[in-house]
Structures are given as C-alpha cells and as structure tokens.
Amino acid sequence: MGLVIDLAAVVANWKALAAKAAGARAAAVVKADAYGLGADRVAPALYAAGARDFFVALASEGQAIRPLLPEDARIFVLSGHMEGADLAGLIPLLNSPEQFFRDRALRPRGPFGIQLDSGMNRLGIEPGEWAAIRAEALAADPALIMSHLACADEPDHAANAQQLAAFRAMTEGVAVPRSLAATGGILLGPDYHFDLVRPGIGLYGGEPFGDAQPVVTLGLPVIQVREVRPGESVGYGYAWTAERPSRVATVAAGYADGLARDGKLSLWAGEHACPVIGRISMDLITVDVTDLPDVPAALEILNARQGVDALAALSGTIGYEILTSLGRRYERRWL
C-alpha cells in the first residue's frame, strides 16, 4: 500500500486556515520537501487552489520548486542570503545586518524580505541591530517583514503577547507587509494575523490545528505470519515472550524508515489495533495479530484513527518529526 498523500486534504486544510485569517494573504510553508510529503506535488496543488506565497528553509529547496510554479508565485527563503546561495527567482528573508549588506552588495535590485527577532533568539535581526539599519533597509523596499512565534502552540503562554508587542514596536509605522503567524499564530486570533500568514504543519494534518483533515495514510506490507508458542520469544534481545498461543506478523518497515526504535506502537487492520511486539529493527516490525480474524496484506501505521500526532505521542516525539522522517523507501502515491 505504501504512503498515500491526500492533496485534496492539504488544499482543504490550507483553505480552512486561510478562512481563519480572512484579512491576510495565506501563504504555504513547503520546506523540508513539504514536511516530507513531496513539495513538487504539494506546491503546485496549493498554487492551483490560490496560494501565491511559499516558504522554504534553504535556497536549494526553492530552486527545486521554482520551475514548477508560475512566475507570479513568490518563494521566500527563511535562511536568508547564505554565502554561495543561488537566489535567482527567490526572495531571501535577511536575518542579520551582515546578510542585509551582503545581499544589497551582490543583488542590489534583487527582491528581499527581513526577518526580525521578536524574542525567540533563533533567527532574525535583533531590535538594536534593526534600529541601526531600519531606515536603509526600508529605503531598499523589502517585500515582507516577518518574525516567528516560539510558543504559539501554547495559547496561554505569556511569550505570545510579549513577542506580539515586540514585533509591533519594531515595525510601527512601516508600509511593508508584515507576517508573524504560522499555524499556531493563526489560531491565536486576528491580533497575530497582520498582512500574511504562513500555515505549515496544519496543512499536513498536524497539531495545533485540531480540525485538520488527515492527509497521510501509511500501510506496511506483511511479509510473513508465524505461529508462536507460549514461552517463545520474538526479535532482538528477546524483548517479548508469548504468554499464549500467538500469531505474529512481520511487516516491511523499521527505524530506517523513520519509525521510533522503542516506540510503543500499534498498527491497524481496519477497526482493529494490533500491538507492535519486540524491538523495532532497521527494516522489520513484528506485530501481534492473534486477535484478527484474518491478516490483511498490509497493516496501517498512519490513518484517520492514528494520525501523525497520535503516532508521535506513542513514539515520544512530535508530529513534525514523524512527517519529516518518513523514509524514502516508502512507495508514495498522491491522490
């Protein structure tokens, strides 16, 4: 069965998030190969739905999708102008005075944006630096001024209001379009929306957008089913021992495919959850299918019943990591 990506669900999620910020343009974050789901498929589908602004992490990611999008699509590069980056047809979001002066020296007429640090202390021009170059930067006509929220998925966190106030203070009086909100920021309400919002994880079915349509189904083919007697053990280290006559299915996936080695996971056969037993190895997973009336050709690890965040919770991680870690060995199919 492999990895099935529902592009209609991605589009529906984009439209739903756009509707929550009706006064702003809705962009789409397609970095990390659209969170592992194929930027070459996702970006054109979102363009067809009306998206005109796309965000990637690296210039190389932008160059990969630039030929796939019409000329009026804008592709912003979050890492800005790194040395040696090919920024033809792209818009770097400049993160420091050094990047600003490098960009203006090498691309004096090239479009650019500015990323400000409103308190996350990760990327962006700090308030004192911004005060020093603000007049010169604004005179060069940036396409966008943005910042990023550190705690937007925690609506009651004090940092949200603090960063909002800092961003407003740094951008008061500018005529340039502004952007602060990714998925979590959109859900914080209109105060955070400004001129452009940047939905990312919410497009792909992840929290904090609880109303997202599921995007990914992942079925793992069953290679073999065996009978295991009470007292017999399964897998590396004999980490699981049968306490009853059992049927064990071995499926073709493992930690090389982005699945947690020690996750307490279940795989699904229709409505039935089947526990993973023993250790997940590089290429294989063993599953207790004793209680199934029939063992299907594939067992699902991602579906409408067990989405990316549910799997992440079982794996001790977050939905972002689940999506971006899905291995290249899965046969991908886009609906």
Side-chain angles (χ1 to χ4, degrees):
M1 181 176 183
L3 183 61
V4 180
I5 298 126
D6 188 343
L7 292 174
V10 175
V11 167
N13 292 336
W14 179 78
K15 289 181 176 179
L17 286 164
K20 291 181 180 295
R25 285 169 67 101
V29 180
V30 294
K31 62 182 181 177
D33 197 28
Y35 291 45
L37 301 184
D40 59 335
R41 305 298 186 102
V42 169
L46 289 171
Y47 181 92
R52 293 296 180 268
D53 305 291
F54 299 85
F55 285 77
V56 295
L58 302 172
S60 57
E61 295 177 334
Q63 294 300 347
I65 62 170
R66 179 70 273 179
L68 308 178
L69 297 171
E71 189 174 335
D72 65 334
R74 301 191 298 175
I75 302 173
F76 292 91
V77 181
L78 291 163
S79 60
H81 189 157
M82 297 172 68
E83 288 191 49
D86 178 4
L87 293 167
L90 310 178
I91 304 174
L93 290 157
L94 308 177
N95 291 293
S96 66
E98 292 82 4
Q99 283 203 355
F100 173 74
F101 291 117
R102 176 191 302 137
D103 191 71
R104 293 302 82 193
L106 298 177
R107 309 168 58 250
R109 288 176 292 280
F112 71 99
I114 295 286
Q115 182 162 189
L116 301 176
D117 176 26
S118 56
M120 192 174 184
N121 287 308
R122 189 182 65 171
L123 268 186
I125 300 172
E126 296 183 6
E129 297 172 331
W130 176 237
I133 70 166
R134 171 176 161 143
E136 185 173 354
L138 294 179
D141 194 23
L144 184 72
I145 297 176
M146 66 159 285
S147 190
H148 193 54
L149 296 167
C151 304
D153 56 349
E154 301 175 59
D156 298 326
H157 201 293
N160 294 321
Q162 292 167 1
Q163 286 193 256
L164 175 62
F167 184 61
R168 282 180 168 158
M170 284 191 283
T171 59
E172 185 177 4
V174 305
V176 179
R178 294 179 289 174
S179 177
L180 181 62
T183 299
I186 292 170
L187 302 177
L188 291 176
D191 286 349
Y192 292 82
H193 294 166
F194 292 94
D195 303 293
L196 182 143
V197 293
R198 313 183 309 272
I201 188 65
L203 303 180
Y204 308 109
E207 295 178 352
F209 185 32
D211 295 331
Q213 293 188 20
V215 169
V216 176
T217 303
L218 176 55
L220 309 179
V222 175
I223 303 173
Q224 188 178 47
V225 179
R226 68 176 61 245
E227 305 293 330
V228 177
R229 295 190 297 269
E232 290 188 320
S233 298
V234 173
Y236 283 122
Y238 278 7
W240 182 86
T241 300
E243 297 180 353
R244 60 172 179 165
S246 302
R247 278 187 302 165
V248 174
T250 301
V251 301
Y255 60 75
D257 304 292
L259 304 175
R261 181 171 176 264
D262 294 317
K264 306 301 181 185
L265 311 181
S266 292
L267 272 59
W268 289 77
E271 301 288 337
H272 301 282
C274 306
V276 169
I277 58 174
R279 291 182 184 165
I280 292 176
S281 52
M282 183 182 293
D283 315 296
L284 301 169
I285 300 173
T286 45
V287 186
D288 186 350
V289 294
T290 309
D291 296 327
L292 293 183
D294 298 291
V295 180
L299 297 170
E300 292 180 349
I301 194 167
L302 285 170
N303 55 26
R305 300 173 190 85
Q306 182 167 280
V308 292
D309 292 294
L311 181 59
L314 294 168
S315 304
T317 184
I318 57 175
Y320 296 78
E321 185 176 4
I322 294 294
L323 284 174
T324 57
S325 298
L326 293 173
R328 303 311 305 175
R329 296 194 298 187
Y330 298 126
E331 180 183 349
R332 283 162 162 76
R333 183 162 60 93
W334 290 266
L335 302 181

